[in-house]
Amino acid sequence: MESTEQNKFDIGQIANGHLGERVAEEWQKLLENMQDPNVPYKPVRKLVVTLTCTQNEQRNAVAVDGTVALKLPPQISISTRFAAGQDLATGECYAREYGALDARQITFRDVESEELQNIDGYLVNSEGEVVGREDGSDIVDLRKAR
C-alpha cells in the first residue's frame, strides 16, 4: 500500500506544534537533570510521549490527546547528624547539629581580621585558638589540668 501525504505523521506538528514544544521543554529539563551534580549519574531518565486516540462510533473522527511525562531520579539526600539531649536544670530539650568538624573549628575564610570571632559561643583569635567564652565563663583545658 502506498503512503499518501494525508497519512504522513510528524509528532512535532501535532496540535499546531504544541506537543513538539512540550517535548522540547521536557528534553531540556532532562538534560539539566543529567548535569546536576546533586543527582546520581547512574539511574536512567525517561521522556515518555503518550498519544491517546479515541474514535467515534462512525469511525470517521479521532480525538488525540498527547501527554509528555518526565521520569527523573531524585536528588541525592543531604545527611547530617544531631546530638540531642535535655538540660537537666531547666528541663529544656535541645538538638545541636554536628558534622565531621567540631563546631568550634573555623576555616581561614572565617578569619578576616585580628578581632576575636564568636564561633558557637567561643571567642577565637586570628590563629584559631579559643581564648575565652562569650558568656565569660572559664575554659578548662583538660590536657593541662593533670
Side-chain angles (χ1 to χ4, degrees):
M1 181 173 206
E2 192 174 315
S3 176
T4 63
E5 190 64 29
Q6 61 188 355
N7 288 333
K8 187 175 178 182
F9 182 78
D10 183 353
I11 196 166
Q13 297 304 313
I14 291 179
N16 292 323
H18 293 296
L19 184 62
E21 288 176 12
R22 215 173 265 177
V23 169
E25 289 170 4
E26 296 303 306
W27 176 251
Q28 187 62 39
K29 290 177 187 175
L30 184 141
L31 294 175
E32 290 169 5
N33 179 270
M34 292 176 78
Q35 295 301 312
D36 186 347
N38 294 312
V39 178
Y41 77 94
K42 200 166 188 173
V44 298
R45 282 91 168 147
K46 292 182 182 180
L47 178 69
V48 180
V49 179
T50 304
L51 298 178
T52 304
C53 303
T54 308
Q55 66 181 356
N56 65 0
E57 191 174 338
Q58 292 76 29
R59 300 176 189 237
N60 61 2
V62 178
V64 179
D65 289 315
T67 59
V68 181
L70 196 55
K71 296 180 183 181
L72 302 175
Q75 287 192 339
I76 297 169
S77 66
I78 299 171
S79 298
T80 189
R81 297 194 184 274
F82 280 81
Q86 184 176 18
D87 185 324
L88 298 178
T90 65
E92 183 179 349
C93 294
Y94 63 87
R96 173 165 278 169
E97 184 177 13
Y98 67 90
L101 296 177
D102 184 355
R104 292 164 288 175
Q105 291 180 328
I106 60 174
T107 64
F108 288 114
R109 278 181 280 133
D110 296 328
V111 180
E112 296 177 355
S113 68
E114 290 297 318
E115 297 178 20
L116 295 178
Q117 301 282 323
N118 182 347
I119 309 294
D120 197 27
Y122 292 88
L123 299 176
V124 179
N125 66 16
S126 62
E127 278 89 46
E129 298 170 332
V130 177
V131 295
R133 288 190 53 102
E134 180 183 36
D135 62 7
S137 62
D138 290 335
I139 297 175
V140 177
D141 187 344
L142 296 177
R143 296 172 294 183
K144 296 177 183 175
R146 294 189 232 171

